[in-house]
Amino acid sequence: MSDKGLFVDISLTRGAFNLRVETSVPPQGITAVFGPSGSGKSSFLRAIAGFETPQSGQIALHEHVLFDSAQNIDIPPHKRGAGYMFQDARLFSHLDVRGNLEFAHSRAPTGGASFEHIVEAFDIGGLLRAQVSTLSGGERQRVAMARTVLSRPSILLLDEPLAALDAARKSELMPFIRRLSSEFGMSVLYVSHDLKEVGTLANTILCLKEGQLTASGPAIDLLPQLQIGDAMQIDRSTWFDAKISHCDTALSAATLSLSADHKLILPLTQAMRASDKCRVAIRADDVSIALLPPHGISIQNILDARVKSVTQDGARVHVKLYLPDVDTILPELSAFITPLAQSKLQLKPGQSVSALVKSVSLSA
Amino acid sequence: MGVVALTLWLAFCVTLILLLIGTPLAWWLSQTCSRAKPLIEALCAMPLILPPTVLGFYLLIAFNPQAPIGKFWISVTGDTLSFSFAGLVIASVIYSLPFMVQPLQSAFETVGKAPLEAAASLRAGRWDSFRSVVLPQSRRGFLTACVLTFAHTIGEFGVVLMVGGNIPGRTKVIAIEIYERVETLDYAGAHHLSFGLLLFSFIVLLALYTLNRKGGYRVG
């Protein structure tokens, strides 16, 4: 029988709130559970872990039934094999970092990555003897992540693990989360209300609103729809996946190859490594257009592109570009220009231009 | 057995028994959503406000060889409960119960559900979680509970007087000895014992507060 990953069909009522979800989660990759606060994301995750008991329904993980109200099955949390990472890390205060890690390691089934390998992967080798109260927010989450991985769960449930951190710490931690799936091959369910996090991490997205599943599907397909949702910032970002081809630590730059002729250079972050796959976001506001390739300019990312369409978008002009030989990776690239710029440049579909990308945000 | 040794032995037995009874009781109270919880809590706190003579009076009646409990005890052990060391232990266990249960319950409630959920998600079962997370995180609560129970048992007077009588070597404890010395106008002897108890109580409490402060940075 083929592995169906996680299957959930539950109805859970708490007071006036009703969560009613039927979905399945692929056995590999990162699935984001996205929605505003109060949409039932955490209850959904807690029901899978066994911390909340649904009124009715079924939960099955890798063909094992975890919960079935009709058959009176309710496997206790510690036997479900679901690793849970909390927003507040929940490290044990009476143990040091090593003690916390060994708590998980000693109770885990054998096999999989070694203790040392996991410690190294989360870059916490230097913290092993530290008391947990002395750790910074980012360190706490890394230790908590390593601890969860050390218990060798069959699914990882991450409940807004970045929500308590500032933007800099967030982008520092995202590569580690991506590694949970890419390096340790785990099925990850990631709860977040932050579209940027979801956009950079998720392969699949489940959207929850008021306890109902409103949309689900591959992230690349769903992200453009989510961006124009009313609560979201309308920045028309272009999202795509690419591989890091080269890391230059001296110049602190990472290179992404889009094709033989096209590459993008990004600021190198600590956790980035060559051949890591990553998701890239380019905001339409960060893309400028020049009719001829400019010289002597601080912008490093200049791509040969063609105009696909030009439309008025509110007070701005939305120009869609495409890169002729990299359309499999990057089908189109959005740019915002002012109506004045458009009146001077007179951009038309099919025209060759240079796209100047001022900044590229990514998570390795 | 001398008065002091008997008193210490009584306090030790009571603390040990209460540790065994009080821990599961306090754990249940800290976890339950049962409607019986306030009822049990009220019953456990009764010895705090009840005059010891009232409690002692009812225990005396219950320990009576004609009463069911007293009769049962005689049939099992061949000895009476009233005016015996065993009766003294049972009475003290009831009287000191809140001093064990309340600090433990509050320690367990402070630990809360969060570390238990974390432990469960790391494959630790209920008993495993209790042993390896709850117990070490409530060390201060256990220390406080044991010290208070021990010290409170040493200092009790009314209940002991009611159910234990005053039998040297069997049921005569320090507090009663002091009372007796005063009755017989042996003030020097009363001073001797009273000052001993005073010093003991102070040292115990000082040690407790010092230890709790030291433990603070790790446990808190």
Side-chain angles (χ1 to χ4, degrees), chain B:
Chain B
M1 208 187 281
V3 175
V4 174
L6 186 94
T7 310
L8 291 176
W9 175 236
L10 175 69
F12 174 78
C13 293
V14 169
T15 306
L16 192 70
I17 292 171
L18 271 180
L19 200 56
L20 297 176
I21 302 174
T23 307
L25 181 58
W27 177 248
W28 180 79
L29 284 173
S30 70
Q31 300 295 306
T32 188
C33 304
S34 161
R35 264 187 279 175
K37 182 182 168 178
L39 181 77
I40 306 294
E41 277 180 315
L43 282 174
C44 286
M46 287 275 274
L48 284 178
I49 51 155
L50 215 55
T53 43
V54 172
L55 190 66
F57 173 64
Y58 283 116
L59 285 172
L60 192 64
I61 290 175
F63 289 174
N64 185 305
Q66 267 80 57
I69 296 174
K71 203 186 248 169
F72 171 76
W73 188 264
I74 287 180
S75 72
V76 173
T77 66
D79 199 3
T80 60
L81 263 181
S82 40
F83 308 113
S84 73
F85 184 73
L88 218 57
V89 170
I90 294 177
S92 302
V93 161
I94 294 171
Y95 186 52
S96 293
L97 183 73
F99 290 85
M100 180 64 80
V101 171
Q102 291 192 350
L104 286 185
Q105 186 185 342
S106 120
F108 293 153
E109 280 166 359
T110 307
V111 171
K113 292 209 192 309
L116 289 174
E117 286 183 354
S121 77
L122 300 170
R123 302 178 189 270
R126 277 159 182 260
W127 169 241
D128 184 2
S129 302
F130 182 76
R131 203 173 45 82
S132 48
V133 177
V134 178
L135 285 189
Q137 292 200 0
S138 10
R139 274 184 309 194
R140 293 166 76 179
F142 273 96
L143 185 68
T144 307
C146 287
V147 168
L148 287 182
T149 303
F150 192 87
H152 184 249
T153 308
I154 282 187
E156 85 184 51
F157 175 75
V159 176
V160 176
L161 193 67
M162 293 293 280
V163 304
N166 189 3
I167 305 163
R170 265 190 84 181
T171 61
K172 187 190 263 187
V173 296
I174 297 176
I176 288 175
E177 178 75 8
I178 293 171
Y179 177 74
E180 204 168 70
R181 294 279 170 98
V182 174
E183 287 267 273
T184 56
L185 298 177
D186 174 11
Y187 275 39
H191 262 309
H192 196 68
L193 287 168
S194 299
F195 188 71
L197 265 192
L198 192 81
L199 205 63
F200 168 78
S201 309
F202 178 70
I203 290 171
V204 162
L205 289 176
L206 187 68
L208 177 66
Y209 286 125
T210 312
L211 276 174
N212 268 353
R213 223 184 78 176
K214 269 190 189 164
Y217 80 99
R218 284 194 65 153
V219 189

Side-chain angles (χ1 to χ4, degrees), chain A residues 46 51 77-78 81-84 86 88 90 92-94 103-104 107-109 131 133 147-148 151-154, chain B residues 113-126 128-129 131-134 136-137 139 217-220:
Chain A
R46 291 176 60 80
F51 300 147
H78 68 279
Y84 202 103
F86 304 88
D88 51 354
R90 298 198 184 175
F92 299 126
S93 57
H94 65 290
F103 188 99
R107 288 164 176 82
Q131 291 298 316
S133 56
R147 185 178 72 167
T148 309
S151 84
R152 277 81 175 187
S154 32
Chain B
K113 292 209 192 309
L116 289 174
E117 286 183 354
S121 77
L122 300 170
R123 302 178 189 270
R126 277 159 182 260
D128 184 2
S129 302
R131 203 173 45 82
S132 48
V133 177
V134 178
Q137 292 200 0
R139 274 184 309 194
Y217 80 99
R218 284 194 65 153
V219 189

